[in-house]
PDB file of all heavy atoms in Angstrom:
ATOM      1  N   LEU A   6       3.528   5.959  -2.900  1.00 33.00           N
ATOM      2  CA  LEU A   6       4.708   6.682  -3.405  1.00 33.00           C
ATOM      3  C   LEU A   6       4.777   6.853  -4.922  1.00 33.00           C
ATOM      4  O   LEU A   6       5.092   7.885  -5.440  1.00 33.00           O
ATOM      5  CB  LEU A   6       5.895   5.979  -2.862  1.00 33.00           C
ATOM      6  CG  LEU A   6       6.218   6.083  -1.426  1.00 33.00           C
ATOM      7  CD1 LEU A   6       7.370   5.151  -0.989  1.00 33.00           C
ATOM      8  CD2 LEU A   6       6.481   7.521  -0.916  1.00 33.00           C
ATOM      9  N   LEU A  11       3.964  10.057  -9.868  1.00 35.00           N
ATOM     10  CA  LEU A  11       3.333  10.330 -11.127  1.00 35.00           C
ATOM     11  C   LEU A  11       2.606  11.698 -11.124  1.00 35.00           C
ATOM     12  O   LEU A  11       2.579  12.364 -12.118  1.00 35.00           O
ATOM     13  CB  LEU A  11       2.325   9.232 -11.402  1.00 35.00           C
ATOM     14  CG  LEU A  11       2.865   7.784 -11.797  1.00 35.00           C
ATOM     15  CD1 LEU A  11       1.718   6.782 -11.804  1.00 35.00           C
ATOM     16  CD2 LEU A  11       3.643   7.951 -13.104  1.00 35.00           C
ATOM     17  N   GLN A  39      24.793  24.968  -4.449  1.00 97.00           N
ATOM     18  CA  GLN A  39      25.276  23.542  -4.329  1.00 97.00           C
ATOM     19  C   GLN A  39      25.474  22.890  -5.666  1.00 97.00           C
ATOM     20  O   GLN A  39      25.104  23.404  -6.701  1.00 97.00           O
ATOM     21  CB  GLN A  39      24.162  22.780  -3.585  1.00 97.00           C
ATOM     22  CG  GLN A  39      23.825  23.413  -2.219  1.00 97.00           C
ATOM     23  CD  GLN A  39      24.954  23.335  -1.284  1.00 97.00           C
ATOM     24  OE1 GLN A  39      25.708  22.399  -1.168  1.00 97.00           O
ATOM     25  NE2 GLN A  39      25.095  24.470  -0.523  1.00 97.00           N
ATOM     26  N   ALA A  56      11.122  36.440 -13.066  1.00 98.00           N
ATOM     27  CA  ALA A  56      10.293  37.059 -14.072  1.00 98.00           C
ATOM     28  C   ALA A  56       9.930  35.966 -15.054  1.00 98.00           C
ATOM     29  O   ALA A  56      10.726  35.198 -15.393  1.00 98.00           O
ATOM     30  CB  ALA A  56      10.993  38.280 -14.700  1.00 98.00           C
ATOM     31  N   ALA A  67      13.403  23.334  -0.489  1.00 97.00           N
ATOM     32  CA  ALA A  67      13.721  22.561   0.746  1.00 97.00           C
ATOM     33  C   ALA A  67      13.764  23.455   1.907  1.00 97.00           C
ATOM     34  O   ALA A  67      14.229  24.583   1.798  1.00 97.00           O
ATOM     35  CB  ALA A  67      15.014  21.812   0.536  1.00 97.00           C
ATOM     36  N   GLY A  83       7.345  46.451  -0.335  1.00 96.00           N
ATOM     37  CA  GLY A  83       6.962  47.496   0.557  1.00 96.00           C
ATOM     38  C   GLY A  83       6.606  46.918   1.920  1.00 96.00           C
ATOM     39  O   GLY A  83       6.769  45.821   2.117  1.00 96.00           O
ATOM     40  N   ILE A  85       3.722  46.372   3.157  1.00 96.00           N
ATOM     41  CA  ILE A  85       2.612  45.461   3.054  1.00 96.00           C
ATOM     42  C   ILE A  85       2.739  44.489   1.879  1.00 96.00           C
ATOM     43  O   ILE A  85       2.875  44.900   0.715  1.00 96.00           O
ATOM     44  CB  ILE A  85       1.286  46.312   2.852  1.00 96.00           C
ATOM     45  CG1 ILE A  85       1.125  47.344   3.868  1.00 96.00           C
ATOM     46  CG2 ILE A  85       0.059  45.276   2.753  1.00 96.00           C
ATOM     47  CD1 ILE A  85       1.008  46.826   5.342  1.00 96.00           C
ATOM     48  N   GLU A  86       2.958  43.239   2.214  1.00 97.00           N
ATOM     49  CA  GLU A  86       3.094  42.261   1.187  1.00 97.00           C
ATOM     50  C   GLU A  86       1.802  41.739   0.556  1.00 97.00           C
ATOM     51  O   GLU A  86       0.726  42.044   1.118  1.00 97.00           O
ATOM     52  CB  GLU A  86       3.787  40.913   1.821  1.00 97.00           C
ATOM     53  CG  GLU A  86       2.917  40.171   2.835  1.00 97.00           C
ATOM     54  CD  GLU A  86       2.812  40.832   4.139  1.00 97.00           C
ATOM     55  OE1 GLU A  86       3.688  41.723   4.456  1.00 97.00           O
ATOM     56  OE2 GLU A  86       1.849  40.606   4.847  1.00 97.00           O
ATOM     57  N   THR A 102      -0.834  31.605 -10.156  1.00 97.00           N
ATOM     58  CA  THR A 102      -1.621  31.062 -11.265  1.00 97.00           C
ATOM     59  C   THR A 102      -2.635  32.084 -11.689  1.00 97.00           C
ATOM     60  O   THR A 102      -3.171  32.926 -10.969  1.00 97.00           O
ATOM     61  CB  THR A 102      -2.358  29.794 -10.789  1.00 97.00           C
ATOM     62  OG1 THR A 102      -3.077  29.187 -11.876  1.00 97.00           O
ATOM     63  CG2 THR A 102      -3.369  30.087  -9.657  1.00 97.00           C
ATOM     64  N   ASN A 128      14.246  24.283  -7.854  1.00 98.00           N
ATOM     65  CA  ASN A 128      13.859  24.486  -9.267  1.00 98.00           C
ATOM     66  C   ASN A 128      12.623  25.355  -9.307  1.00 98.00           C
ATOM     67  O   ASN A 128      11.810  25.461  -8.367  1.00 98.00           O
ATOM     68  CB  ASN A 128      13.490  23.082  -9.899  1.00 98.00           C
ATOM     69  CG  ASN A 128      14.623  22.180 -10.004  1.00 98.00           C
ATOM     70  OD1 ASN A 128      15.604  22.469 -10.786  1.00 98.00           O
ATOM     71  ND2 ASN A 128      14.591  21.081  -9.314  1.00 98.00           N
ATOM     72  N   TYR A 130       9.367  26.345 -12.132  1.00 98.00           N
ATOM     73  CA  TYR A 130       8.673  25.846 -13.366  1.00 98.00           C
ATOM     74  C   TYR A 130       7.655  26.858 -13.806  1.00 98.00           C
ATOM     75  O   TYR A 130       6.896  27.482 -12.916  1.00 98.00           O
ATOM     76  CB  TYR A 130       8.022  24.526 -13.017  1.00 98.00           C
ATOM     77  CG  TYR A 130       8.859  23.480 -12.372  1.00 98.00           C
ATOM     78  CD1 TYR A 130       8.872  23.351 -11.000  1.00 98.00           C
ATOM     79  CD2 TYR A 130       9.614  22.553 -13.133  1.00 98.00           C
ATOM     80  CE1 TYR A 130       9.618  22.398 -10.372  1.00 98.00           C
ATOM     81  CE2 TYR A 130      10.414  21.595 -12.465  1.00 98.00           C
ATOM     82  CZ  TYR A 130      10.412  21.516 -11.133  1.00 98.00           C
ATOM     83  OH  TYR A 130      11.233  20.632 -10.495  1.00 98.00           O
ATOM     84  N   ASP A 132       4.586  27.328 -17.184  1.00 97.00           N
ATOM     85  CA  ASP A 132       4.014  26.830 -18.354  1.00 97.00           C
ATOM     86  C   ASP A 132       4.399  27.666 -19.560  1.00 97.00           C
ATOM     87  O   ASP A 132       4.177  27.250 -20.704  1.00 97.00           O
ATOM     88  CB  ASP A 132       2.493  26.750 -18.265  1.00 97.00           C
ATOM     89  CG  ASP A 132       1.873  28.102 -18.109  1.00 97.00           C
ATOM     90  OD1 ASP A 132       2.414  28.968 -17.253  1.00 97.00           O
ATOM     91  OD2 ASP A 132       0.926  28.452 -18.788  1.00 97.00           O
ATOM     92  N   GLU A 147      24.098  47.377   3.665  1.00 99.00           N
ATOM     93  CA  GLU A 147      24.214  46.172   4.485  1.00 99.00           C
ATOM     94  C   GLU A 147      23.981  46.615   5.934  1.00 99.00           C
ATOM     95  O   GLU A 147      24.576  47.564   6.393  1.00 99.00           O
ATOM     96  CB  GLU A 147      25.584  45.543   4.320  1.00 99.00           C
ATOM     97  CG  GLU A 147      25.769  44.301   5.138  1.00 99.00           C
ATOM     98  CD  GLU A 147      27.124  43.716   5.101  1.00 99.00           C
ATOM     99  OE1 GLU A 147      28.072  44.337   5.708  1.00 99.00           O
ATOM    100  OE2 GLU A 147      27.332  42.698   4.417  1.00 99.00           O
ATOM    101  N   HIS A 164       2.915  44.734  23.619  1.00 91.00           N
ATOM    102  CA  HIS A 164       4.279  44.758  23.968  1.00 91.00           C
ATOM    103  C   HIS A 164       4.736  43.710  24.929  1.00 91.00           C
ATOM    104  O   HIS A 164       5.847  43.337  25.046  1.00 91.00           O
ATOM    105  CB  HIS A 164       4.706  46.177  24.546  1.00 91.00           C
ATOM    106  CG  HIS A 164       4.104  46.473  25.867  1.00 91.00           C
ATOM    107  ND1 HIS A 164       2.874  47.039  25.991  1.00 91.00           N
ATOM    108  CD2 HIS A 164       4.636  46.255  27.078  1.00 91.00           C
ATOM    109  CE1 HIS A 164       2.643  47.153  27.253  1.00 91.00           C
ATOM    110  NE2 HIS A 164       3.664  46.717  27.965  1.00 91.00           N
ATOM    111  N   PHE A 248      24.290  45.110  26.731  1.00 93.00           N
ATOM    112  CA  PHE A 248      23.919  45.889  27.879  1.00 93.00           C
ATOM    113  C   PHE A 248      22.626  45.311  28.503  1.00 93.00           C
ATOM    114  O   PHE A 248      22.045  45.978  29.401  1.00 93.00           O
ATOM    115  CB  PHE A 248      23.715  47.355  27.588  1.00 93.00           C
ATOM    116  CG  PHE A 248      24.948  48.076  27.357  1.00 93.00           C
ATOM    117  CD1 PHE A 248      25.680  47.940  26.179  1.00 93.00           C
ATOM    118  CD2 PHE A 248      25.451  48.988  28.322  1.00 93.00           C
ATOM    119  CE1 PHE A 248      26.845  48.623  25.968  1.00 93.00           C
ATOM    120  CE2 PHE A 248      26.582  49.673  28.114  1.00 93.00           C
ATOM    121  CZ  PHE A 248      27.337  49.524  27.026  1.00 93.00           C
ATOM    122  N   GLN A 253      26.854  45.282  31.584  1.00 88.00           N
ATOM    123  CA  GLN A 253      27.583  45.822  30.415  1.00 88.00           C
ATOM    124  C   GLN A 253      29.045  45.248  30.395  1.00 88.00           C
ATOM    125  O   GLN A 253      29.553  44.928  31.441  1.00 88.00           O
ATOM    126  CB  GLN A 253      27.643  47.343  30.348  1.00 88.00           C
ATOM    127  CG  GLN A 253      28.514  47.930  31.428  1.00 88.00           C
ATOM    128  CD  GLN A 253      27.754  48.178  32.732  1.00 88.00           C
ATOM    129  OE1 GLN A 253      26.513  48.419  32.710  1.00 88.00           O
ATOM    130  NE2 GLN A 253      28.448  48.104  33.858  1.00 88.00           N
ATOM    131  N   SER A 285      22.064  52.314  20.692  1.00 87.00           N
ATOM    132  CA  SER A 285      20.757  52.042  21.242  1.00 87.00           C
ATOM    133  C   SER A 285      20.539  52.833  22.536  1.00 87.00           C
ATOM    134  O   SER A 285      21.423  53.170  23.249  1.00 87.00           O
ATOM    135  CB  SER A 285      20.718  50.492  21.610  1.00 87.00           C
ATOM    136  OG  SER A 285      19.575  50.194  22.361  1.00 87.00           O
ATOM    137  N   ALA A 298      34.504  53.310  21.025  1.00 98.00           N
ATOM    138  CA  ALA A 298      34.939  52.091  20.171  1.00 98.00           C
ATOM    139  C   ALA A 298      35.402  52.678  18.769  1.00 98.00           C
ATOM    140  O   ALA A 298      36.418  52.233  18.248  1.00 98.00           O
ATOM    141  CB  ALA A 298      33.801  51.170  20.044  1.00 98.00           C
TER     142      ALA A 298
END
Side-chain angles (χ1 to χ4, degrees):
L6 289 174
L11 289 173
Q39 304 298 316
I85 306 298
E86 67 285 338
T102 183
N128 295 295
Y130 310 93
D132 63 314
E147 179 183 74
H164 68 273
F248 284 76
Q253 67 275 327
S285 168

